[in-house]
Amino acid sequence: MLFALFILSSLYVSIVNSWGPTGHSLVAKIAQSMLTSNSKKFVQDHLPWYTNGDLSMLASWPDTILYPDTNPVDYLNWQWSLKLHFVNTPDWICNYDRNRDCDWTNEQRCVDGSIQNYTERLANTKQDSIQRQEALKFLVHFIGDIHQPLHAGFSSDKGGNLIKGRFFDNTTNLHSIWDTLMIERRISLDFQSDSNKYYNYLLDIMHTTYMKNISQWSKCPSSDESKYLACSTAWINEDVALNCAFVYRDEQDKPFSVSQQFQLGQIYYNTRIGIVEERLLQSGVRLAAVINKIVELRKHNDKSCPGTVLIAIVLFLEVLLVLICFICYLIRRTFRRQSFGETSDNYHVVKS
Ligand SMILES: [Zn+2]
């Protein structure tokens, strides 16, 4: 049994990944920089106290709970969440269909369904605080995942995990190149291995090169009726388009194959690192837009509260008034009785 569990867990490690911790942390930091003051307070209220409202601290939590080396005690209890990190589309079909690819009329267990589910939960004031905290932690991670193109990769190669070869000096697979290797190379070569410097660079290009794109990134296209600006269908379609045009093609523009080892280097890196950076920025901007929207809606709903509070106050005053009248009545009755008693005694005295 233990051996079987070990094999199972090893399989998960090799097949499922997401932006590495650095990518997820960058997405969360970019989002944090775009939160409104109300949203910052909301995030602080909905994350564990030790994070001090820092989204990046738990951005990789949904990955860490899945594996025995990072969650030795109860990683098996979280295996249900494994499918929520990705979705697969048929090879080279180059579009996404919720019903076909995410079983939309039933379970919806894919990254599209999970984003819709956790935005709803986060916005729902009837959910208890533990549920909402979990929803926020999942959402921060999944909005990152859905922007890594190979989280909407082809079914037959499991999102590039089964396409293997060499990237510079690393023996690896296509999925890992997009999760971590290109980001690590960029930080190591151009930012003295300091991810904070890279974060500052990303912020800089977001406010210059990509400034004109931010408002469009923050909106859902009319074709996507998702709630709370979490346009997961549209985001997956962006992935699929990137996959067909760039991700699944080698340096000579030939499609990758599971049966053939790739050899990738400078050309692939130079022509794809810009896509990685744009996806990191898009996911940060969109994560912030989703949280800001949810907080704005909750604030709007809270404004309907004063009416309810007013009715409660009027009812309370009415009850209080009835109570005061009743007490007055009792006091008057007591005095009248005392008065009658004194008269009676006097009468008795006279009579004797
Ligand atoms: Zn993930």
Side-chain angles (χ1 to χ4, degrees), residues 17-26 60 63 148 178-180 183:
N17 274 303
S18 41
W19 293 124
T22 308
H24 277 293
S25 171
L26 288 166
S60 291
D63 280 341
Q148 203 279 53
W178 283 83
D179 265 352
T180 53
I183 294 175

Side-chain angles (χ1 to χ4, degrees), residues 16-19 24 62-63 85 141-142 145 151:
V16 175
N17 274 303
S18 41
W19 293 124
H24 277 293
D63 280 341
H85 293 244
H141 184 86
F142 293 145
D145 273 353
H151 275 250

Side-chain angles (χ1 to χ4, degrees), residues 131 135 170 196 214 220 224-225 259 266 270 344:
Q131 292 284 328
N170 299 92
N196 283 325
I214 290 177
C220 284
D224 192 316
E225 294 173 352
S259 57
Q266 205 64 48
N270 285 349
S344 177

Side-chain angles (χ1 to χ4, degrees), residues 197-233:
K197 285 185 180 163
Y198 188 45
Y199 163 67
N200 287 329
Y201 165 78
L202 289 175
L203 267 196
D204 185 46
I205 59 170
M206 182 172 82
H207 291 299
T208 51
T209 316
Y210 291 102
M211 193 65 192
K212 61 186 180 304
N213 303 94
I214 290 177
S215 112
Q216 186 251 323
W217 286 349
S218 308
K219 291 178 196 150
C220 284
S222 53
S223 57
D224 192 316
E225 294 173 352
S226 304
K227 280 192 168 182
Y228 312 117
L229 298 177
C231 342
S232 38
T233 304

Side-chain angles (χ1 to χ4, degrees), residues 210-342:
Y210 291 102
M211 193 65 192
K212 61 186 180 304
N213 303 94
I214 290 177
S215 112
Q216 186 251 323
W217 286 349
S218 308
K219 291 178 196 150
C220 284
S222 53
S223 57
D224 192 316
E225 294 173 352
S226 304
K227 280 192 168 182
Y228 312 117
L229 298 177
C231 342
S232 38
T233 304
W235 302 339
I236 292 171
N237 271 312
E238 290 171 355
D239 285 329
V240 172
L242 289 170
N243 285 336
C244 288
F246 305 103
V247 179
Y248 274 99
R249 291 182 184 277
D250 69 12
E251 294 173 345
Q252 282 76 46
D253 209 32
K254 285 194 194 126
F256 289 114
S257 154
V258 173
S259 57
Q260 238 179 344
Q261 297 265 316
F262 60 73
Q263 176 66 56
L264 300 172
Q266 205 64 48
I267 296 174
Y268 193 84
Y269 171 77
N270 285 349
T271 48
R272 271 69 172 177
I273 188 65
I275 297 172
V276 171
E277 292 180 347
E278 189 169 319
R279 293 308 269 168
L280 290 173
L281 289 174
Q282 283 176 326
S283 48
V285 166
R286 287 164 171 172
L287 173 58
V290 168
I291 297 173
N292 287 339
K293 178 73 179 175
I294 287 174
V295 172
E296 194 186 303
L297 280 175
R298 285 170 60 104
K299 200 174 135 201
H300 178 74
N301 291 341
D302 286 348
K303 277 186 183 162
S304 60
C305 261
T308 318
V309 171
L310 199 66
I311 291 167
I313 291 170
V314 169
L315 280 174
F316 173 75
L317 287 175
E318 280 180 3
V319 169
L320 195 67
L321 197 65
V322 168
L323 204 65
I324 289 168
C325 289
F326 184 64
I327 291 168
C328 286
Y329 165 75
L330 285 179
I331 292 169
R332 279 187 66 193
R333 221 177 122 189
T334 309
F335 273 120
R336 282 177 70 187
R337 277 207 177 145
Q338 277 179 1
S339 172
F340 180 73
E342 280 168 14

